[in-house]
Amino acid sequence: MKLTIRARLTLLYFVVLAASFLAFFWICDFGFRHSIEATVNDASQSNLDIVRRVVKNSLPQGVPKVKKELTELSELWANGAIFEVAGPDGEWIFRSPRFLLPQSPLPLPPASGVAFRTTNLDLQQYRIAQQSVSLDGQNFRINVAVPTEPFDQALDNFRVIEKRFLPLLVVLASLLGYWLSGRALAPVNRIIESAEKIGVQNLSQRLPVPKAEDELRRLTETVNAMLGRIESSVHRIQRFTADASHDLRTPLSLIRTNAELALRRPRTEAEYRETLERILGASEETTQLIESLLILARADVGAAQLQFGPIELTPLLHKAAQKAALLALQKGIVFSENIVPQPLPMFADAVATERLLLALLDNAVKYTPASGRVQLRSFAEGEFAVVEIEDTGIGICEDDLPRIWDRFFRADQARCREVPGSGLGLSIARWVVEAHKGAIEVSSRLGQGSLFRLRLPLLISAHARIDESEGQQQSTTAAA
Ligand code: ADP
């Protein structure tokens, strides 16, 4: 059964209130009954005391006197109280008329103390107090009866009120509960209405924050913070898509323009060859860009698979150094390496690690003018393998330093010098480093050069860290 919170709260109010009112009235009823009984007992006890005193006072003048006094007393009592007194021989000295017609004979009073019982005399209910008294050495039995009707009437009146008011009270209180829960839940409805209006088009909108410092305020603030995160993610994706399309358009239009120009009129073989080489260069650039985009897109959705396994870093460093040396030679840059000949075992993805080293070395060569220097150093430091790539290139200004890891970011110096690149290399580098639980940092001075420093966990610690966070898998999915 589907019930709204408001309906459920009201139902709960109803049940709790009905139970509470029932308990309350039952306690009142119980207390009232007991207090009535005590009052009636007191009344019959005091009447019994009066009768006993009359008997005691008139006894010295003989039984007829007692009889006379008791008769006078019974006439005096107009409140319906009646009594009977039996003498030592068991014969009744005095009996009020109603006692002559008992529905059932009364038992004898106890040897000591006063006994109380409720019985019907002539169809009317009485509370009877019975006592055996010894006066001047003679035993008398006294029964005094007080009608309970006035008291029963009071109790009945109370019960009538109970029966009429109990349901009314419960219904009224439940209606109040319904109204109160409606008021309490009104901010929730406002939140729902506002949330329904928020979509991708207006992600900058936020839910109205209630004034009261309560759970709803915390909920709204949490949802608003979540909207903020979603908004920046969507913006990032939108920027990424726009930048990617823009960067893809450049080499593609280069390919098209070259092909169109070549086809305008017949060319020599050398001209065709030159055009085709340009087209090949542009399509290689496109392929590289698409590959980088694919890596990052897969990393974003957690689908990029890294094949972790035990590898040795030193041979990878030598391999990367060889390629970098060739690039440096082509550009007239002095390349030197200082790879400490010691094993650097790692638990890592060999392909991704090589790509990481090459990206940093490629940048160092790319952003260092001819006759500059690039140096590659590596050594072990505690539980880490440290790789340093230093160049005497154009450097990065302080403001740009935190942004070089952003996708598609390229510093103005890089753009002005028309150094080829997409601005994705360092984003991928950082993702690879983080997936390996390592760290990458940079220090640079504009116009003087840069130093990129990698810290990658060695086998024992790397194993432990990757196992810790990703279980015993041999491959993992990681996002930068
Ligand atoms: P790109 O394809 O432009 O090289 P990267 O992500 O590799 O993209 O680098 C981002 C930006 O960081 C570069 O455009 C450049 O401005 C700056 N940069 C990276 N490495 C260096 C370096 N060694 N020297 C100077 N600037 C660098």
Side-chain angles (χ1 to χ4, degrees), residues 14 17-18 21-22 25 159-175:
F14 178 81
L17 282 170
F21 282 133
L22 266 176
F25 278 119
R159 284 181 178 161
V160 168
I161 293 172
E162 241 180 282
K163 276 183 195 137
R164 280 199 195 139
F165 280 92
L166 179 70
L168 197 72
L169 267 177
V170 173
V171 170
L172 279 179
S174 302
L175 284 176

Side-chain angles (χ1 to χ4, degrees), residues 306-307 311 316 348-358 432:
L306 289 180
Q307 301 299 318
I311 64 159
L316 284 185
D349 179 310
V351 178
T353 310
E354 195 181 336
R355 178 181 284 133
L356 165 70
L357 296 173
L358 281 175
V432 173

Side-chain angles (χ1 to χ4, degrees), residues 346-371:
M346 284 178 50
F347 189 69
D349 179 310
V351 178
T353 310
E354 195 181 336
R355 178 181 284 133
L356 165 70
L357 296 173
L358 281 175
L360 297 177
L361 283 166
D362 186 48
N363 275 356
V365 174
K366 247 181 5 184
Y367 298 111
T368 302
S371 76

Side-chain angles (χ1 to χ4, degrees), residues 363-364 366-367 391 394-396 404 409-411 414 420-427 450 452:
N363 275 356
K366 247 181 5 184
Y367 298 111
D391 64 61
I394 59 172
I396 305 160
I404 57 169
F409 175 79
R410 304 202 72 209
S422 62
L424 294 176
L426 289 183
S427 311
S450 316
F452 284 82

Side-chain angles (χ1 to χ4, degrees), residues 7-84:
R8 271 185 279 162
L9 276 178
T10 311
L11 203 69
L12 198 72
Y13 281 139
F14 178 81
V15 173
V16 170
L17 282 170
S20 315
F21 282 133
L22 266 176
F24 174 72
F25 278 119
W26 184 82
I27 290 167
C28 287
D29 193 276
F30 182 81
F32 199 28
R33 246 183 308 128
H34 275 259
S35 111
I36 282 177
E37 203 174 280
T39 312
V40 181
N41 284 355
D42 284 352
S44 33
Q45 167 91 57
S46 60
N47 283 356
L48 193 133
D49 291 344
I50 293 170
V51 173
R52 196 185 55 229
R53 259 200 316 275
V54 168
V55 175
K56 189 181 172 191
N57 291 342
S58 53
L59 188 62
Q61 289 145 52
V63 173
K65 178 68 177 167
V66 174
K67 195 170 192 160
K68 188 168 170 271
E69 289 292 320
L70 288 176
T71 313
E72 277 173 20
L73 179 66
S74 79
E75 283 159 8
L76 269 179
W77 276 350
N79 62 353
I82 53 174
F83 58 92
E84 58 184 3

